[in-house]
């Protein structure tokens, strides 16, 4: 996990901190050293590419949190790497929906322009696949799709 000597860190107790970084560039390719990062997104339309599962390795993980409702963020698994799991979306606890609606492997996660501050996705890798969980208070504000 990257060291976190500065003030842009989240204290998890026990002197454990996770580095928090705002992604403001139009494109970003993550690497193995990004494991453990919390990224804030939404200020600019952004395309994020995950490292290959081989490069990420078992135990790699990141989180993405919407902190600006201006633009969409797309997170893509490279090549034939897959993202398994789902996110839950819904209108303030009414009509909660699972996305994707069927059990499928996906490669692209999108935090749409409907996503609101505090919506999030968490990804981890077991060295073979990525796994996702997440939540949005707006129906379909986070989508999961094949590439």
């Amino acid at each position: 996990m990257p060291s976190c000597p500065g003030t842009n860190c989240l204290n998890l107790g026990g002197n454990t901190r996770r580095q928090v970084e705002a992604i403001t560039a139009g494109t970003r390719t993550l690497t193995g050293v990004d494991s453990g990062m919390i990224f804030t997104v939404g200020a600019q339309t952004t395309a994020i590419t995950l490292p290959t599962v081989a490069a990420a390795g078992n135990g790699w993980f990141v989180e993405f949190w919407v902190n600006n409702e201006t633009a969409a963020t797309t997170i893509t698994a490279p090549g034939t790497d897959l993202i398994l799991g789902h996110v839950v979306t819904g209108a303030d606890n009414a009509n909660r929906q699972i996305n994707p609606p069927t059990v499928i492997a996906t490669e692209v996660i999108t935090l749409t322009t409907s996503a609101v501050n505090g919506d999030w996705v968490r990804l981890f890798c077991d060295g073979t696949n990525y796994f996702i969980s997440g939540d949005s208070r707006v129906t379909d504000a986070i989508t999961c799709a094949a590439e």
Side-chain angles (χ1 to χ4, degrees), residues 19 59 77 80 100 123 139 146:
Q19 190 166 353
T80 58
L123 290 155
T139 302

Side-chain angles (χ1 to χ4, degrees), residues 4 12 15 19 30 35 46 54 72 84 95 97 104 112 128 145:
C4 192
L12 300 176
N15 295 323
Q19 190 166 353
L30 301 183
S35 182
T46 305
L84 308 175
N95 302 318
Q97 298 178 353
I104 61 168
T112 70
T128 303

Side-chain angles (χ1 to χ4, degrees), residues 51-72:
T52 64
V53 294
N58 186 15
W60 187 93
F61 68 102
V62 293
E63 294 180 14
F64 298 91
W65 289 79
V66 174
N67 75 338
N68 185 313
E69 302 168 2
T70 303

Side-chain angles (χ1 to χ4, degrees), residues 46-137:
T46 305
I48 298 168
T49 303
L50 300 172
T52 64
V53 294
N58 186 15
W60 187 93
F61 68 102
V62 293
E63 294 180 14
F64 298 91
W65 289 79
V66 174
N67 75 338
N68 185 313
E69 302 168 2
T70 303
T73 299
T74 303
I75 304 162
T76 305
T80 58
D81 292 344
L82 298 174
I83 302 171
L84 308 175
H86 63 271
V87 298
V88 178
T89 67
D92 290 330
N93 294 323
N95 302 318
R96 302 291 285 165
Q97 298 178 353
I98 293 176
N99 195 318
T102 59
V103 180
I104 61 168
T106 61
E107 294 103 4
V108 180
I109 309 302
T110 303
L111 294 116
T112 70
T113 56
S114 298
V116 296
N117 291 336
D119 290 356
W120 59 274
V121 295
R122 178 178 296 130
L123 290 155
F124 78 89
C125 181
D126 69 353
T128 303
N129 293 297
Y130 285 105
F131 295 85
I132 187 171
S133 61
D135 197 358
S136 173
R137 67 183 306 125

